[in-house]
Amino acid sequence: MTLKNDRFLRALRRQPVDRTPVWLMRQAGRYLPEYRATRKQAGSFLAMAKNPELACEVTLQPLRRFPLDAAILFSDILTVPDAMGLGLYFVEGEGPKFRHPVRSADDIARLAVPDMETELRYVTDAVRTIRRELDGSVPLIGFSGSPWTLACYMVEGGGSKDFAKVKSLALNDPAAMHRLLGVVTDAVIAYLSAQRAAGAQALQVFDTWGGVLSPRMYREFSLRYLQRIARELERGDGDQRTPLILFGKGNAAYLGELADSGAEAVGADWLVELGDAARAVGGRVAVQGNLDPVTLYASPDAIRDEVGRALDSWRDGNGGSREGHVFNLGHGMSPDMDPEHVAVLVDAVHTLSAR
Ligand code: CP3
């Protein structure tokens, strides 16, 4: 099927585009009143994510409001450990938790790659439903957490401030940590493959917590597994190839190594100047990012100025060309952001980048 708007995929292939494409991490979420209404109807976030029709509805909500250039599957990275038997639940105001966190070598030995056809069927069903409803308007992004980031939640049992449990495991028993990361990596590859087979047209890995590691530990416990995913994930050839985006918070020092991983794009947070990111990847991959999400709290004029600066920075670092850039935030949106400001941002990207 030919896409009506393929700017996002063209930018990921570093082909010329009429305007810089834009989508926003967490573009579906609590900042939209229609999202809150659907969530209420579903009863909970998880009930909504596990219902393909409702997951499709909330995926499409931001696209009805804003001319975004891509849709992202509405789901969560923690569906994978949930399917591995850890028992995901959410406590209002406290975020995600697991009933059965991974604490010992025995816990790790019991883990297995979940069956995508049964345990995670609701995700691939959602992908198929969304593709049908999008009807070729914009591409659909599928996603997974990175092995390290999933391991953080699996070992900590939820969010963490210092990641003491998961880092202690890596330091005290690196062999056990590598067994855990190995099985999670197998699961991530199977999960992304299943989303691609169901119709996802680009795939993003969220390495949200890679940046909490020292460089030595980042390379050993996070980067190595991102490289394995980029190498082993089957994704076709040429213009039919499904691009893989490796997003990481705090990954500025590793952009060059990530560009050599075999992935098609890297996502950057706002602590790196976009022009420097362009120079670090040197045209080998596309770059996605990287406006500070807090910019959305600023005035419309300030938002436009920041978008203009980011676009110019990319062009300056990329030899005068706008190619190879997907506009995004450096991390996800927050529930108290103003939808009107999102409209300003999206319009600014399209207007200021138009040739
Ligand atoms: O970008 C999108 O619109 C797609 C949907 C998406 C969600 N989570 C929906 C969601 C994506 C891509 C994610 C990824 C995710 N989930 C990550 C990696 C990206 C990142 O933000 O760093 C992480 C670390 C998680 C784990 C997780 N799930 C957290 C920390 C939370 C927030 C808990 C809270 O109360 O704020 C969730 C729940 C979640 N996932 C929500 C949404 C919209 C909020 C749920 C609600 O409606 O209450």
Side-chain angles (χ1 to χ4, degrees):
M1 190 212 281
T2 54
L3 277 160
K4 291 174 195 104
N5 173 355
D6 66 350
R7 264 183 209 133
F8 170 68
L9 294 178
R10 289 183 61 86
L12 289 174
R13 290 188 213 113
R14 289 170 291 121
Q15 296 168 340
V17 283
D18 60 340
R19 285 144 197 252
T20 298
V22 54
W23 70 278
L24 305 175
M25 289 187 274
R26 288 277 176 93
Q27 64 191 21
R30 286 170 289 188
Y31 77 104
L32 292 175
E34 58 271 35
Y35 171 93
R36 297 195 296 268
T38 308
R39 187 177 184 272
K40 202 169 162 192
Q41 184 195 333
S44 71
F45 165 72
L46 271 183
M48 182 167 65
K50 291 188 175 182
N51 177 321
E53 298 299 325
L54 296 181
C56 174
E57 166 58 24
V58 288
T59 298
L60 299 180
Q61 285 171 350
L63 291 130
R64 294 189 191 116
R65 278 185 183 247
F66 319 113
L68 294 157
D69 297 299
I72 179 161
L73 163 71
F74 187 81
S75 189
D76 199 81
I77 62 167
L78 302 179
T79 54
V80 170
D82 185 45
M84 293 170 103
L86 272 66
L88 175 64
Y89 67 104
F90 283 85
V91 182
E92 197 65 49
E94 284 181 51
K97 300 238 188 274
F98 286 117
R99 279 190 196 90
H100 313 291
V102 169
R103 290 286 153 73
S104 65
D106 281 353
D107 293 342
I108 293 170
R110 275 194 291 273
L111 295 172
V113 175
D115 180 18
M116 301 299 143
E117 286 299 311
T118 53
E119 256 95 43
L120 288 160
R121 182 59 179 248
Y122 66 90
V123 177
T124 48
D125 281 344
V127 170
R128 281 181 284 267
T129 306
I130 299 163
R131 273 297 304 272
R132 191 185 66 223
E133 294 300 314
L134 280 172
D135 194 26
S137 52
V138 292
L140 175 63
I141 306 165
F143 69 90
S144 168
S146 74
W148 166 255
T149 293
L150 292 175
C152 284
Y153 286 96
M154 293 170 80
V155 174
E156 298 290 337
S160 174
K161 279 199 204 332
D162 58 7
F163 300 91
K165 292 189 184 76
V166 68
K167 286 187 186 176
S168 297
L169 176 64
L171 292 164
N172 292 335
D173 194 348
M177 190 69 209
H178 282 301
R179 285 198 301 277
L180 171 58
L181 291 166
V183 65
V184 172
T185 302
D186 293 341
V188 165
I189 291 172
Y191 190 50
L192 292 172
S193 299
Q195 291 181 43
R196 175 173 180 264
Q201 291 146 298
L203 297 165
Q204 175 156 324
V205 173
F206 287 87
D207 189 27
T208 306
W209 301 123
V212 304
L213 290 166
S214 67
R216 195 278 295 174
M217 288 180 74
Y218 173 81
R219 293 192 173 93
E220 178 171 350
F221 297 109
S222 184
L223 179 62
R224 191 199 283 192
Y225 294 93
L226 296 172
Q227 290 165 333
R228 208 186 115 200
I229 294 165
R231 225 175 26 243
E232 292 181 12
L233 179 66
E234 177 56 52
R235 51 195 191 280
D237 297 303
D239 276 8
Q240 296 310 308
R241 190 167 173 83
T242 308
L244 174 70
I245 307 163
L246 300 179
F247 166 76
K249 258 184 85 196
N251 66 4
Y254 315 111
L255 291 173
E257 286 159 272
L258 289 163
D260 287 330
S261 67
E264 283 66 37
V266 297
D269 73 11
W270 62 97
L271 299 183
V272 60
E273 179 66 30
L274 215 38
D276 290 334
R279 283 180 279 268
V281 305
R284 285 167 288 171
V285 295
V287 174
Q288 177 175 279
N290 71 345
L291 204 68
D292 183 347
V294 165
T295 309
L296 280 170
Y297 295 119
S299 68
D301 283 345
I303 293 170
R304 270 185 220 100
D305 287 350
E306 283 300 300
V307 167
R309 280 194 199 103
L311 289 168
D312 290 349
S313 178
W314 172 261
R315 199 180 44 193
D316 291 346
N318 194 46
S321 160
R322 293 209 186 281
E323 284 159 30
H325 179 211
V326 173
F327 204 98
N328 206 313
L329 303 174
H331 197 201
M333 295 187 60
S334 298
D336 59 347
M337 286 172 168
D338 182 347
E340 299 286 331
H341 287 202
V342 175
V344 170
L345 185 153
V346 172
D347 178 70
V349 175
H350 285 157
T351 312
L352 298 175
S353 67
R355 290 172 194 259

